[in-house]
Amino acid sequence: MLSNAQNQPLFPSPAGQMKKNSITEDYTVTSQVLGLGINGKVLEIFQKKTGDKYALKMLQDCVKARREVELHWRASSCANIVRIIDVYENLYQGKKCLLIVMECMDGGELFSRIQERGDQAFTEREASDIMKSIGEAIQFLHAINIAHRDVKPENLLYSSKRQNTLLKLTDFGFAKETTSHNSLATPCYTPYYVAPEVLGPEKYDKSCDMWSLGVIMYILLCGFPPFYSDHGLAISPGMKRRIRMGFYEFPYPEWSDVSEEAKELIKTLLKTEPTERMTITEFMNHPWINQSMEVPQTPLHTSRVLKEEKDAWEDIKEEMTSALATMRVDYEQIKIKTIEDSTNPLLTKRRKKTNN
Ligand code: I85
């Protein structure tokens, strides 16, 4: 079969097969809402055969929903990504729906866990372990050329299996394939001569995930985000400016005892210029990540700050959501710019041809 450099088929068939029978034959669907996403709610359901609990995400069938299912399905074999069990294509209230059955993550969101901790302080080494788990998910995705583009606190959920609690990434609603199929599949040019900009600006989409890693790592180490708005508006002009200019600090007293290594790592993740930002491979090879046993067990202020700032948390989450939305749009525009500004000979030749 034809395949690209990553050995993925060029005409991918869905990673799994959608079921056409009614979901209610196999599962008891409850009205218990586990979470509310922007494009659908997540309900608690039980498999009839086993009585086991699962999570159900309901989406109205459309191109976007199909892309979400397809990309999530491909990513589903990663241990740090919420696993898809089944997908149903059903008619619900006269509308075609895609019903995603997922493993049920019943350990709650990442920062709720840290906030609810007792006296035992959350440490820098624990933060390193958490960042490694999230990194594993991103590494898996980037290796198969998927950018998640919505890595944020509410999409990081814990499973609460007695022995091994695992942190997993969910929601592929904004995920994007970073390889343009047509460029390699269409035999217009010998691949050796293809300029990087012709293959598409995959760097920008992936770098969005790296920025998210930087923000999450920052919050893990102190309990508040690096950028926040001045008047509690979801995203203010001032906040946008600070993000663009890369203005943030490591204030006293929360950051006083945090290692320089951790601060340096954050700085390379929060670089304003997306092309300068660290890649996932560099991140996973960084000593603060891959030698977490050497990371100091310094007690952090995180748990206390999260408790004290409980009321601000909803706003903080909203701010990260809008910052990511802005970034996705901005990177889309960089893409157009780089192609237009390109002086690559192949493109110039093409332009001359089309102008004639
Ligand atoms: N289990 N973003 C916030 C949830 N198991 N959750 C969100 N997009 C998704 C909800 C709104 C994420 O794709 C979401 C998606 C998928 C899930 C999901 C998947 C699997 C869960 C939107 C829970 C849960 C279950 C039991 C208990 C608890 C949580 O959310 C808790 F511990 F919190 F009480």
Side-chain angles (χ1 to χ4, degrees), residues 3 17 35 46 52 79 111 161 197 230-231 279 309 335 338:
S3 65
Q17 208 59 57
F46 294 91
D52 291 342
F111 287 101
K161 300 268 157 53
E197 61 269 35
D230 347 54
H231 358 68
T279 67
E309 304 288 319
K335 169 159 100 190
T338 48

Side-chain angles (χ1 to χ4, degrees), residues 3-129:
S3 65
N4 64 12
Q6 283 70 43
N7 226 6
Q8 287 176 292
L10 288 174
F11 311 107
S13 54
Q17 208 59 57
M18 283 196 226
K19 298 199 165 162
K20 304 284 162 62
N21 64 305
S22 171
I23 189 169
T24 56
E25 290 173 14
D26 307 328
Y27 295 89
T28 306
V29 180
T30 76
S31 54
Q32 177 70 45
V33 177
L34 297 175
L36 278 176
I38 41 162
N39 43 359
K41 53 187 168 184
V42 180
L43 298 175
E44 181 178 78
I45 63 170
F46 294 91
Q47 190 172 46
K48 286 185 171 167
K49 207 165 60 191
T50 60
D52 291 342
K53 184 157 77 175
Y54 291 94
L56 171 69
K57 186 174 185 178
M58 305 179 64
L59 298 169
Q60 222 184 93
D61 193 359
C62 59
V63 173
K64 195 175 172 286
R66 292 204 168 235
R67 179 169 53 221
E68 172 171 349
V69 168
E70 175 58 36
L71 297 182
H72 192 167
W73 225 329
R74 270 190 231 165
S76 219
S77 64
C78 174
N80 293 99
I81 290 172
V82 174
R83 202 158 63 86
I84 292 191
I85 308 294
D86 273 320
V87 181
Y88 289 82
E89 193 188 72
N90 279 179
L91 221 50
Y92 179 71
Q93 296 177 338
K95 284 187 174 131
K96 256 176 121 185
C97 287
L98 298 183
L99 308 174
I100 313 174
V101 179
M102 292 173 271
E103 62 174 314
C104 188
M105 305 295 293
D106 49 13
E109 289 179 16
L110 167 62
F111 287 101
S112 314
R113 270 279 179 106
I114 299 167
Q115 185 207 82
E116 288 156 12
R117 274 168 85 107
D119 342 298
Q120 173 204 19
F122 178 68
T123 69
E124 187 173 325
R125 190 182 295 177
E126 285 178 275
S128 155
D129 287 330

Side-chain angles (χ1 to χ4, degrees), residues 6 54 138 167 169 188 238 256 264 268 291 306 320:
Q6 283 70 43
Y54 291 94
I138 304 299
L167 182 63
L169 176 64
C188 293
S256 309
E264 286 305 315
T268 60
Q291 285 160 108
L306 287 173
M320 185 150 182

Side-chain angles (χ1 to χ4, degrees), residues 134-154:
I134 308 169
E136 307 258 359
I138 304 299
Q139 187 177 41
F140 185 95
L141 291 175
H142 289 192
I144 59 170
N145 293 305
I146 294 172
H148 185 278
R149 307 198 304 162
D150 205 25
V151 180
K152 56 183 184 180
E154 59 265 50

